[in-house]
Amino acid sequence: MQEEVIISGRNIPHIDPHLEIWHWPIPVYLFLGGLAAGILFFAAYYTIRGREDELPTAVKWSTFLTPFLLIIGLVALFIDLKHQWYFWQLYLTIRIESPMSWGAWVLMFITPLSILWSASYVKELFPGWRWKPDFLNRVEELVISYRKPLAWIMLFLAVILGIYTGILLSAFNARPLWNNALLGPLFLTSGLSTGAATIMWMSKQHHERSIFARIDLILIGIELFLIIHLFMGFLAGPEVQLEAADMFISGAYALPFWGLVVGLGMILPAILEVLELRGVKIPAAFPALLILIGGFIFRFIMVEAGQLSSYPY
Amino acid sequence: MLKASSLAQYTRSPEWATKAIPNFCEVCFWKCAKWVNLDEDGNIRSLKGIDDDPHCNGRLCPRGTGGLGMYYDKDRLTTPLMRVEGGDGQTFKEVSWDEALSFIAEKMNSLKERYGPESVALFNHGSSGKHFTHLLKAFGSTNITAPSYAQCRGPREVGFKMTFGQTLGSPEPTDIRDTRCLVLIGSHLGENMHNGQVQEMSDAIDQGADIITVDPRYSTAASKSRYWLPIKPSTDLALLLSWIHVIIEEGLYDKDYVEKHTYGFDRLRHHVKRMTPEWCYGITTIKPDLIRKTARTMAGASPAVIVHPGRHVTWYGDDTQRTRAIAILNALLGSWGRRGGFYFSEKVKIPSFPTPDYPKAKWSWRELLDGKYPLAGLSVSQTFIEASIAENKSEHPIKGWLVSGTNLPLTIPDNSRFEKAVQDVELFVAVDTMPMEVTGYADVVLPECTYLERHDDLRSSPHRQPYIALRMPAVEPLGDSKPAWWMARELGLKLGLDAYFPYEHFEEVLEWQLKQLGTSMEEMQMTGIKRFERQNPSLYLKDEEVPYYNTLSGKIELYSTELEQHGFDPLPNYVAHPEPPDNYYRLNYGRAPMHTFSRTSNNDYLTDLMETNTVWVNPRVAKIWGFKKGTKVKLRNQDGVVSDFPIEVRITERIRWDSIYIVHGFGHNNKKLTKAYGKGVNDTALITKVMTDPIMGGTGMRGNFVTFELIEEPENATI
Amino acid sequence: MRYAMAIDTKKCVGCSDCVIACQIENKVPIGYCRDWVTETVVGTYPDLEMEIRSERCNHCDNAPCVRCCPTGASYIDEGGIVLVTPNKCIGCGACIESCPYDARFSHPTEGHVDKCTFCVHRVKKGEQPACVSVCPTKCMYFGDINDPSSEISQILSKRKYKVLAPEAGTRPQVYYLI
């Protein structure tokens, strides 16, 4: 028998008996950030490809959500900070080795950009709209005339926004569940998938909906591939990774993960979308909602389980 | 008149010139000298050992370092309390010192008139006792007792006195830092934090010394030992006799030493003839070749070998005989008076401040022994309790108790006797810094200030080099708490004993004593300690020296003539002791290095390290009972006594399947101890079966067995 | 100059004096600790082995906590000591997530991250860290391992030692003599 005890009475809140220093604000932000990244990515991409009019929800209307998603996400992050009123220190430096630093700066730019982008389409929704104070109308004109370059910037920022949280988690040596190279692409794909699902749900045009249904199917396929690849990696890795994987195979997370996240959050919506493409009438809300909920639960589980995985010594 | 004091009233020294005030620790009895470091506001900031002090070598133990928790404890007693008559009898009211001391003086005088001054007794453990001892002796009573004798180390004092003609004293003169082999049988050094000895054990390990540990539990010392003998509890004497057998039969003993210094070798040889390792194996479950191997290792290190006498040796009632066996073994190995064995310690004789002779007491604690325990060298505490119980109709009744520095309910086993005595005693005064359990039984509770806030007698403990250490206050006493010397003096004045307190302040006494010793208060304030030269420069026996041993034969008595005279076995005999019945486990208890007695369980810093005790249970036993990690149970002993509170189970391979182990000093049931209340189990309450040593009255406490009372239904239990 | 610590598990008795001394020296709030003591027991009664270790921040050479800090509050000082500048710290918790030894914690009243500093304030005065100077068994060593004549270099050259979780890749600088 092996027994390990701490004999000097250590019981630090949120660290003993196991780490849980990141609570609900973090998965909330991860979800909202990923969703915003997905929406903005498609908006930027289809703008660059010149298909704004063909896919108006993607390019214009869905972006109206993003400022709110990002701001709520930022508020969640702010709530999580323990030394909150020093948050501005983030912006006095940029640290290449810290993905969180990249994230801070990306958010610093993408949030106003998403506001500008979505605001520049307000006139299309409300034709008589005029901004007050007046100089904002000139800003709007600038945005519209520089639409393509802005789209490129937004594309770039959206990719970083979508992928950096995964890279951030994977850079922690101490958490075997996260410490692998697949988490970044997986988070990005998941973010794009939730974005596509939202666009599909919001869209009023059958053509747009079916394009995004197809995109979503491909993205779900990629996600499933990455997840399987992830677990193959765990099972071929060192003991700490075997133990991390074990949480999802025979441990407490097995049912929530494979059942809710993969089953209900990926496979079922995929089947529904296939059926819809084949002509069966399914309200778009249904698969979209499943994908969104699945995406949120996925991030929640990853944050919690990752903190449980550790190096015994 | 009594009024709130400023520091100036307690010392005639000028404003503190330095920020480090000398003191010596009172958390345990090791008395390490320390500096009390004050911050800019004059508050105690930290405690640090005095570098040259041989007790600590500049490094305090965790209790010493955490001693400031004693000062800052928010549950401290700060005003005198008196029990309110009537009602539930559990209420106390705050009173002034004048009222409290007048009450006590009046009662004491009344007892003196009706029963004689001898009827007032003192129970004590610690520095405050010296002041109350002086008071009581001046009053006319010599009935003073410390539980540390009959409840702790008494048997070994007698065991060694019978053999070597002198007691061991405290600290024991064990030359651990130079030993080649340390044998621990009944000592869990490393868990009991006898600072100097733990430090020396570390030095010994560095020098490659072998450690042999005999313990039913895998103690910390066992984990550092070359050999660990997982002995069946209560059979230690058989192992010792068998070792003696091997060492004699294989000719491994120090022949020259034995011939010149000892008496009774042939009778010893004859006595242990049949006590072979094979015989021992059947009793102790230790394999014969391990017994031989360890005996040879010990002998190979001779004379730099120590069979440690242990400290708390009151186990089964035959403890004097068991420590006799340890003493005999040491004598055979030639370790007494040799480097790496036992050195000859010396201490400074502190001159007594001149006061009139004490009145002659008509009877003393010897009379309370009632013809029993003929070889007790000091008073036997439980006899005081028995003499206080009216039902016993003692010829020499005790009617008044003064208790200072000892929490009697968690010290003396078989609490029912204590509780009976408390009903019959007419005056019960408890002096304590904290609202410990004993204060809940008292008529008057007097708040003592901690050692950091007061003067006390100079420390003069026996060691390799004689040293004295000074204790002086670093800060003012908290609230209305007072030092013991002040309480004793004020009470003395009220009793008309002015002549015995010819000083206003105890500092005068210290100044006088220091002057007699050739130093001064100023010097001591700078250095904290002072070293003196030994009278006899030699720590060990010189070559060819054969001293006179203070025994009846003048030699080290392997065969004890004095024991024989009193009708006891002159050579130890193994006697089997009762074993636990089915589903019961032997209650073993011991120490943790971050706590001491029951007095640290409320200390903020020390409870941050260890808040409660747990009950150690072997995994096989845990399986039978269906225990899991975190299970809580209550303990019930063989007499049906159930622990007040539940305790968490620690499932560990470190304990035998026939025993359980808990650290002593928890399970406090006085609600005023806000941090300690309700945490863990009080082992003393479960020790109701006492096996008393007929030779000197030691109360053997290891003969109690407990079973588990489940709190909720476990799964998969097979019981 | 590279500061490191070596702890002799053969002598440590688990008294936890190092924990209390640190708590008092560095005013660590009660209920929190910068260092702690663990006990590992292996085997079945009576074939047992036990190791007692005093643990703390390992001031790693490849410190993941310094890498992941978004504001640079976590940094490496002279001699390799890993420190935190309290008013650059935003309390994001990334460094706590990144430490395989759970050495960091969020200060309960101040909000910034706290951990063992090798008592840099004492080291700069030429003293030893509080834990090393109080240890009754003298089982702790601290010094410059780049200096071959220092006590710690000497002891590491004579004894077998290990570090905690070497496979995590952090290159810790607290060595346990075994």
Side-chain angles (χ1 to χ4, degrees):
Chain A
M1 175 176 156
Q2 173 142 343
E3 184 197 0
E4 182 159 313
V5 290
I6 295 188
I7 53 181
S8 63
R10 189 184 133 132
N11 197 11
I12 298 181
H14 306 310
I15 302 186
D16 304 309
H18 55 254
L19 188 65
E20 33 163 14
I21 196 112
W22 279 348
H23 302 132
W24 62 264
I26 303 295
V28 162
Y29 162 71
L30 293 177
F31 174 70
L32 294 173
L35 179 54
I39 292 173
L40 292 173
F41 176 86
F42 289 117
Y45 179 72
Y46 285 112
T47 305
I48 292 168
R49 294 292 297 257
R51 291 164 76 174
E52 301 101 316
D53 299 311
E54 186 195 339
L55 307 167
T57 317
V59 169
K60 305 174 191 176
W61 316 131
S62 63
T63 62
F64 276 78
L65 291 174
T66 55
F68 299 102
L69 296 173
L70 288 170
I71 289 173
I72 294 174
L74 282 168
V75 168
L77 284 182
F78 184 75
I79 287 175
D80 181 71
L81 291 181
K82 306 244 179 353
H83 209 207
Q84 285 160 341
W85 302 108
Y86 288 84
F87 72 91
W88 45 269
Q89 290 277 5
L90 281 169
Y91 302 108
L92 290 186
T93 174
I94 181 157
R95 309 200 56 86
I96 312 282
E97 283 191 303
S98 165
M100 196 179 280
S101 185
W102 311 344
W105 286 105
V106 162
L107 282 166
M108 168 74 114
F109 289 118
I110 206 173
T111 311
L113 184 52
S114 72
I115 294 174
L116 286 176
W117 186 279
S118 52
S120 70
Y121 286 110
V122 167
K123 286 218 174 93
E124 288 195 30
L125 208 46
F126 304 109
W129 185 270
R130 278 205 68 76
W131 298 101
K132 336 175 167 54
D134 195 47
F135 79 92
L136 288 176
N137 293 297
R138 273 196 298 118
V139 170
E140 189 193 29
E141 281 162 26
L142 276 171
V143 168
I144 293 172
S145 56
Y146 283 98
R147 183 72 71 192
K148 278 265 168 39
L150 278 177
W152 276 104
I153 294 173
M154 201 158 84
L155 187 75
F156 172 69
L157 290 177
V159 168
I160 298 191
L161 179 64
I163 205 173
Y164 95 93
T165 46
I167 298 181
L168 190 156
L169 294 185
S170 63
F172 289 137
N173 317 36
R175 314 252 82 82
L177 183 72
W178 294 341
N179 190 218
N180 57 76
L182 289 174
L183 226 51
L186 185 53
F187 271 43
L188 177 61
T189 318
S190 173
L192 293 176
S193 162
T194 49
T198 308
I199 294 171
M200 188 182 77
W201 186 1
M202 277 182 78
S203 175
K204 306 268 187 296
Q205 301 166 329
H206 177 79
H207 172 67
E208 195 175 18
R209 279 211 303 271
S210 65
I211 288 187
F212 277 93
R214 246 172 282 210
I215 289 173
D216 225 346
L217 270 174
I218 296 171
L219 288 173
I220 288 177
I222 297 175
E223 271 185 277
L224 286 171
F225 169 72
L226 286 174
I227 287 175
I228 291 173
H229 199 34
L230 181 71
F231 279 89
M232 280 175 67
F234 283 144
L235 294 173
E239 178 69 30
V240 283
Q241 288 191 345
L242 292 175
E243 282 174 30
D246 210 45
M247 284 195 279
F248 287 79
I249 295 176
S250 57
Y253 293 100
L255 192 56
F257 184 73
W258 301 106
L260 295 177
V261 176
V262 177
L264 290 180
M266 294 182 199
I267 298 181
L268 183 56
I271 294 174
L272 289 176
E273 282 175 2
V274 165
L275 289 177
E276 221 204 337
L277 288 171
R278 291 261 174 96
V280 179
K281 276 266 173 275
I282 294 176
F286 197 33
L289 205 54
L290 286 174
I291 289 173
L292 287 170
I293 293 176
F296 179 67
I297 295 181
F298 170 60
R299 284 163 175 74
F300 203 88
I301 288 180
M302 284 307 281
V303 168
E304 202 176 274
Q307 292 182 94
L308 282 177
S309 78
S310 66
Y311 274 85
Y313 46 80
Chain B
M1 279 308 291
L2 299 148
K3 57 176 189 247
S5 57
S6 69
L7 198 52
Q9 190 183 320
Y10 287 89
T11 173
R12 288 185 276 114
S13 303
E15 291 297 303
W16 301 120
T18 66
K19 288 289 172 75
I21 318 288
N23 204 307
F24 58 89
C25 195
E26 182 86 5
V27 184
C28 87
F29 50 79
W30 210 254
K31 304 189 193 156
C32 299
K34 48 173 50 164
W35 292 112
V36 182
N37 297 316
L38 303 177
D39 64 16
E40 310 84 43
D41 301 317
N43 296 318
I44 300 178
R45 171 75 178 90
S46 69
L47 305 169
K48 189 198 166 309
I50 297 186
D51 283 332
D52 292 325
D53 181 35
H55 289 232
C56 68
N57 301 307
R59 291 161 184 263
L60 295 173
C61 82
R63 293 95 40 108
T65 310
L68 32 142
M70 255 185 166
Y71 175 75
Y72 286 111
D73 199 320
K74 50 185 179 349
D75 295 325
R76 269 181 68 180
L77 295 170
T78 51
T79 59
L81 300 167
M82 268 177 65
R83 183 186 295 277
V84 172
E85 295 303 324
D88 63 351
Q90 290 303 312
T91 327
F92 287 82
K93 63 172 195 247
E94 292 183 2
V95 293
S96 66
W97 276 102
D98 194 45
E99 197 181 329
L101 293 174
S102 299
F103 175 85
I104 297 170
E106 192 191 306
K107 279 269 173 169
M108 279 174 75
N109 279 327
S110 164
L111 291 174
K112 180 176 183 173
E113 244 168 85
R114 288 178 288 132
Y115 304 101
E118 301 82 358
S119 65
V120 180
L122 168 67
F123 293 80
N124 163 260
H125 191 215
S127 308
S128 29
K130 296 238 179 75
H131 306 289
F132 294 117
T133 299
H134 174 66
L135 172 69
L136 267 199
K137 284 188 175 169
F139 182 69
S141 170
T142 56
N143 286 327
I144 293 145
T145 186
S148 50
Y149 187 74
Q151 274 68 56
C152 188
R153 60 187 174 91
R156 72 170 200 187
E157 302 301 322
V158 178
F160 271 65
K161 184 151 200 302
M162 296 295 107
T163 316
F164 294 104
Q166 66 184 85
T167 56
L168 277 165
S170 173
E172 306 77 62
T174 43
D175 205 17
I176 298 177
R177 71 176 182 210
D178 279 326
T179 195
R180 303 291 315 143
C181 179
L182 176 63
V183 182
L184 298 168
I185 173 164
S187 167
H188 54 336
L189 202 55
E191 277 155 300
N192 72 357
M193 196 64 206
H194 294 176
N195 200 349
Q197 291 195 359
V198 173
Q199 294 190 17
E200 292 194 17
M201 182 168 82
S202 174
D203 292 335
I205 293 175
D206 255 343
Q207 285 155 37
D210 289 325
I211 303 181
I212 298 172
T213 302
V214 179
D215 200 321
R217 185 180 63 97
Y218 189 62
S219 60
T220 303
S223 73
K224 309 224 175 287
S225 302
R226 183 165 166 206
Y227 298 109
W228 168 45
L229 283 68
I231 195 168
K232 180 167 163 192
S234 80
T235 61
D236 310 72
L237 191 41
L239 177 62
L240 287 162
L241 291 168
S242 193
W243 272 339
I244 292 172
H245 166 99
V246 173
I247 285 172
I248 293 181
E249 291 305 316
E250 292 189 13
L252 300 171
Y253 58 96
D254 188 335
K255 299 192 177 66
D256 194 49
Y257 185 93
V258 167
E259 197 187 303
K260 295 213 177 87
H261 295 253
T262 72
Y263 162 87
F265 178 77
D266 292 319
R267 282 193 264 197
L268 175 66
R269 178 189 211 136
H270 178 76
H271 180 75
V272 298
K273 201 127 188 133
R274 60 171 181 86
M275 298 177 185
T276 62
E278 284 69 25
W279 162 85
C280 180
Y281 172 52
I283 298 171
T284 61
T285 73
I286 311 252
K287 298 240 169 57
D289 64 279
L290 186 55
I291 297 175
R292 292 195 167 88
K293 229 191 298 198
T294 46
R296 287 170 196 155
T297 306
M298 271 185 250
S302 158
V305 58
I306 302 171
V307 184
H308 198 287
R311 183 85 191 180
H312 176 90
V313 289
T314 43
W315 301 356
Y316 306 107
D318 61 352
D319 312 296
T320 310
Q321 294 290 7
R322 189 186 65 256
T323 50
R324 266 273 296 151
I326 292 179
I328 291 171
L329 188 50
N330 276 303
L332 289 177
L333 294 167
S335 64
W336 185 265
R338 314 283 274 286
R339 176 181 292 275
F342 292 81
Y343 57 83
F344 296 124
S345 59
E346 277 196 18
K347 64 189 236 185
V348 177
K349 178 135 183 14
I350 309 282
S352 300
F353 193 75
T355 55
D357 286 338
Y358 295 125
K360 190 149 176 22
K362 296 203 188 63
W363 55 270
S364 75
W365 55 266
R366 288 223 174 264
E367 274 68 38
L368 293 178
L369 298 180
D370 223 9
K372 293 189 277 197
Y373 322 135
L375 288 160
L378 293 176
S379 55
V380 176
S381 302
Q382 71 269 20
T383 60
F384 282 47
I385 295 180
E386 292 302 318
S388 309
I389 298 178
E391 190 176 83
N392 285 342
K393 298 202 178 47
S394 169
E395 272 179 51
H396 305 285
I398 304 260
K399 291 291 179 184
W401 284 10
L402 196 56
V403 178
S404 97
T406 173
N407 190 9
L408 290 178
L410 272 78
T411 307
I412 314 255
D414 197 3
N415 283 158
S416 64
R417 308 308 290 167
F418 166 82
E419 294 189 355
K420 240 192 160 114
V422 161
Q423 302 302 323
D424 297 333
V425 156
E426 289 185 30
L427 170 68
F428 185 162
V429 180
V431 178
D432 210 314
T433 59
M434 297 285 298
M436 286 288 163
E437 281 68 19
V438 68
T439 60
Y441 291 91
D443 298 315
V444 187
V445 179
L446 299 178
E448 189 183 14
C449 58
T450 68
Y451 69 102
L452 297 162
E453 302 152 74
R454 67 191 201 221
H455 286 96
D456 261 328
D457 278 283
L458 295 168
R459 178 198 85 190
S460 175
S461 298
H463 218 280
R464 292 186 182 87
Q465 201 64 39
Y467 270 85
I468 56 169
L470 174 71
R471 172 177 291 160
M472 57 186 283
V475 287
E476 283 184 42
L478 192 74
D480 217 2
S481 63
K482 296 272 189 268
W485 67 260
W486 182 93
M487 292 187 225
R489 181 170 181 274
E490 292 293 316
L491 195 47
L493 294 180
K494 285 197 190 285
L495 289 166
L497 301 169
D498 311 37
Y500 294 92
F501 297 94
Y503 51 83
E504 291 290 311
H505 191 287
F506 196 71
E507 212 188 354
E508 294 169 43
V509 174
L510 290 173
E511 275 171 352
W512 181 89
Q513 289 175 325
L514 289 170
K515 190 132 160 266
Q516 302 292 312
L517 290 168
T519 173
S520 67
M521 188 63 104
E522 284 74 41
E523 189 190 335
M524 290 302 288
Q525 280 175 7
M526 290 292 138
T527 59
I529 55 175
K530 186 171 170 71
R531 180 191 146 119
F532 288 79
E533 288 314 308
R534 289 174 63 97
Q535 309 265 25
N536 177 356
S538 186
L539 268 180
Y540 311 107
L541 292 168
K542 294 195 262 293
D543 289 331
E544 305 312 314
E545 177 194 351
V546 181
Y548 171 77
Y549 294 93
N550 193 14
T551 58
L552 293 180
S553 61
K555 297 267 181 219
I556 297 177
E557 293 201 344
L558 303 174
Y559 179 95
S560 171
T561 51
E562 194 165 354
L563 282 176
E564 186 184 41
Q565 262 186 7
H566 288 269
F568 298 115
D569 286 338
L571 289 163
N573 272 308
Y574 170 72
V575 165
H577 296 295
E579 292 186 35
D582 276 341
N583 295 335
Y584 278 75
Y585 308 90
R586 188 178 296 271
L587 173 61
N588 286 334
Y589 54 86
R591 298 262 180 264
M594 55 284 283
H595 281 288
T596 188
F597 310 123
S598 61
R599 67 172 60 156
T600 51
S601 344
N602 211 56
N603 179 319
D604 276 333
Y605 293 99
L606 299 175
T607 49
D608 202 26
L609 297 178
M610 180 174 175
E611 195 181 44
T612 178
N613 55 6
T614 56
V615 57
W616 292 26
V617 172
N618 186 285
R620 291 199 234 165
V621 173
K623 197 162 171 210
I624 296 173
W625 286 81
F627 295 153
K628 296 256 175 316
K629 184 162 186 241
T631 306
K632 285 195 162 186
V633 294
K634 283 194 173 182
L635 301 180
R636 184 175 80 237
N637 82 349
Q638 74 283 345
D639 296 324
V641 176
V642 182
S643 64
D644 281 330
F645 308 107
I647 186 172
E648 190 178 317
V649 167
R650 172 184 172 176
I651 303 175
T652 175
E653 291 280 359
R654 289 176 64 185
I655 185 77
R656 257 175 97 93
W657 48 85
D658 60 0
S659 325
I660 54 114
Y661 175 78
I662 60 178
V663 170
H664 171 77
F666 292 91
H668 284 274
N669 62 10
N670 190 331
K671 292 207 171 86
K672 293 185 190 170
L673 296 164
T674 55
K675 248 202 150 122
Y677 174 76
K679 300 239 170 74
V681 161
N682 171 6
D683 50 308
T684 314
L686 296 170
I687 297 173
T688 50
K689 178 151 189 280
V690 177
M691 300 151 87
T692 313
D693 189 333
I695 299 177
M696 45 62 66
T699 49
M701 304 191 219
R702 300 267 169 92
N704 288 270
F705 313 114
V706 294
T707 185
F708 303 109
E709 259 190 21
L710 303 163
I711 310 240
E712 67 250 329
E713 261 325 294
E715 304 164 9
N716 309 323
T718 59
I719 277 220
Chain C
M1 169 137 75
R2 213 308 167 192
Y3 289 119
M5 195 180 272
I7 299 177
D8 193 345
T9 61
K10 290 243 177 296
K11 300 205 295 187
C12 173
V13 294
C15 71
S16 310
D17 210 353
C18 46
V19 179
I20 282 209
C22 168
Q23 184 147 48
I24 292 176
E25 171 79 27
N26 294 298
K27 299 190 180 160
V28 181
I30 301 256
Y32 293 77
C33 56
R34 291 185 174 188
D35 62 346
W36 59 96
V37 180
T38 58
E39 175 189 296
T40 315
V41 184
V42 178
T44 313
Y45 188 99
D47 302 302
L48 293 171
E49 265 185 43
M50 180 161 86
E51 184 180 271
I52 307 182
R53 291 189 305 268
S54 168
E55 297 180 6
R56 57 192 46 67
C57 165
N58 290 280
H59 297 270
C60 308
D61 254 351
N62 180 23
C65 53
V66 171
R67 269 188 285 116
C68 76
C69 178
T71 61
S74 276
Y75 68 99
I76 301 191
D77 195 45
E78 192 188 322
I81 300 183
V82 176
L83 296 172
V84 175
T85 311
N87 53 14
K88 273 198 187 172
C89 173
I90 62 173
C92 70
C95 58
I96 300 178
E97 295 280 342
S98 74
C99 178
Y101 311 107
D102 288 337
R104 290 172 168 248
F105 61 91
S106 187
H107 196 285
T109 49
E110 300 294 309
H112 59 80
V113 151
D114 203 39
K115 68 176 194 67
C116 162
T117 58
F118 269 175
C119 280
V120 62
H121 60 284
R122 287 172 62 110
V123 170
K124 286 217 180 346
K125 285 193 282 184
E127 294 169 1
Q128 301 251 286
C131 52
V132 175
S133 70
V134 84
C135 174
T137 58
K138 299 199 287 289
C139 72
M140 298 175 73
Y141 305 88
F142 177 84
D144 181 4
I145 49 171
N146 283 345
D147 171 9
S149 66
S150 70
E151 198 185 7
I152 188 174
S153 299
Q154 307 256 334
I155 199 109
L156 286 173
S157 67
K158 288 192 213 135
R159 298 272 304 267
K160 262 201 317 202
Y161 59 84
K162 69 175 195 184
V163 293
L164 298 179
E167 65 276 15
T170 53
R171 303 218 181 101
Q173 297 300 312
V174 174
Y175 299 92
Y176 291 92
L177 308 175
I178 49 175

